[in-house]
Amino acid sequence: MRLFRMLSLNGIPRSRARDLIRAGRVTGENGPLTDGNAQIDGPAFLDGEKLRGEEEVHLMMNKPGGLLTATRDERGQGTVMELLPERLRRMGLGPVGRLDKDATGLLILTTDGQLAHRLISPRWEEDKVYLAETENVPGEEAAERFRAGIELSDFTAKPALLEVLEDRGESALCRVTVREGKFHQVKRMLSSVGCPVITLKRVSVAGLVLDEGLESGQWRYLTDEEADALYKRVQMR
Ligand code: URA
């Protein structure tokens, strides 16, 4: 791939690419790259940050409970990487955001660190949608507290949406939509309105919806359209 093409894939138009190259801000492994028309064989960087090449890989997984969302664990606990074939594990795939060990559902994995970073960055405020089974049934007051932004012990959660899909008397099935991803956030928000979480499943991130055809523990590559939509969401295309 030519350097101009790689920069364009990263949302940098030709005129800006010329300026960046001239300023020496585009580098390869052996120093500045000076010719936008030259073929690029290895990685290239803008201000030290790796540029996306066409070889990036993205997939979605239906995460099962019981595995950590991590590339490895020093204490030897199982991670979601175990579900991938060796060849993919060696490609530098990393999870986008974290699901708790007991949480299930949509986990995106990508080799593109910048895409991953933007998808979880509070700056881009991408929606994450969860289905939560709760003890008790949240009422209108709880939904209002979610809309206002719930104060937790160490931070105030941004406004979020809480919808009761099924009132089961002493429990409920709820849909929660949040735009940030702090540690145990959904569980803590629901607990704070008196409805502790029994099970938690993520069904959507940044408009990408979990493929219900994926059994627990299965994964598939994102289609070109799905990947393209994610890049567009975070203005990388
Ligand atoms: N909120 C939680 O409490 N847990 C998760 O895994 C994700 C969001």
Side-chain angles (χ1 to χ4, degrees):
M1 186 189 326
R2 287 179 312 117
L3 181 55
F4 277 138
R5 166 93 183 114
M6 187 183 272
L7 287 162
S8 147
L9 272 174
N10 286 269
I12 299 163
R14 180 69 69 107
S15 56
R16 173 119 184 92
R18 270 201 206 96
D19 291 345
L20 292 169
I21 292 168
R22 224 176 277 135
R25 291 169 59 186
V26 183
T27 50
E29 280 175 325
N30 300 315
L33 298 171
T34 53
D35 181 1
N37 286 307
Q39 287 292 331
I40 304 295
D41 301 325
F45 306 85
L46 173 60
D47 295 335
E49 194 174 322
K50 187 168 172 257
L51 290 163
R52 194 173 63 77
E54 269 172 339
E55 75 282 6
E56 303 289 9
V57 174
H58 322 281
L59 50 93
M60 72 160 80
M61 175 185 284
N62 184 358
K63 179 193 174 295
L67 291 178
L68 294 179
T69 306
T71 46
R72 69 186 129 95
D73 179 62
E74 282 173 3
R75 287 163 303 160
Q77 295 189 77
T79 76
V80 291
M81 301 311 279
E82 286 175 14
L83 301 170
L84 301 178
E86 179 61 30
R87 113 195 107 74
L88 279 177
R89 271 187 260 159
R90 275 192 266 108
M91 286 190 75
L93 277 162
V96 175
R98 196 156 345 135
L99 280 174
D100 294 337
K101 187 173 176 184
D102 62 350
T104 63
L106 178 61
L107 187 63
I108 303 169
L109 293 111
T110 178
T111 51
D112 189 337
Q114 192 186 5
L115 176 67
H117 175 73
R118 288 200 181 189
L119 285 171
I120 59 171
S121 158
R123 182 171 157 224
W124 297 90
E125 299 207 326
E126 291 303 337
D127 280 357
K128 295 150 198 82
V129 184
Y130 295 85
L131 294 181
E133 281 184 281
T134 58
E135 287 175 31
N136 308 317
V137 182
E140 185 44 40
E141 199 185 307
E144 182 46 42
R145 286 187 57 203
F146 269 59
R147 279 195 291 275
I150 290 192
E151 228 177 274
L152 297 170
S153 58
D154 51 343
F155 78 106
T156 303
K158 293 203 174 114
L161 196 61
L162 169 61
E163 300 159 281
V164 176
L165 303 181
E166 282 175 32
D167 178 340
R168 298 169 179 168
E170 293 187 348
S171 66
L173 177 66
C174 305
R175 181 163 52 215
V176 178
T177 307
V178 293
R179 291 192 159 164
E180 54 195 345
K182 302 256 168 54
F183 189 56
H184 293 331
Q185 179 159 347
V186 174
K187 291 177 183 166
R188 292 173 67 196
M189 289 169 79
L190 281 163
S191 279
S192 80
V193 296
C195 300
V197 166
I198 304 166
T199 64
L200 188 65
K201 178 179 185 180
R202 186 158 63 193
V203 291
S204 167
V205 172
L208 178 73
V209 176
L210 176 65
D211 184 337
E212 286 298 335
L214 289 177
E215 302 280 337
S216 172
Q218 285 185 330
W219 62 272
R220 69 157 170 80
Y221 292 106
L222 295 194
T223 63
D224 288 347
E225 291 73 27
E226 287 169 336
D228 201 44
L230 287 181
Y231 278 109
K232 286 194 173 125
R233 286 286 282 244
V234 294
Q235 290 179 24
M236 287 171 71
R237 274 189 194 158

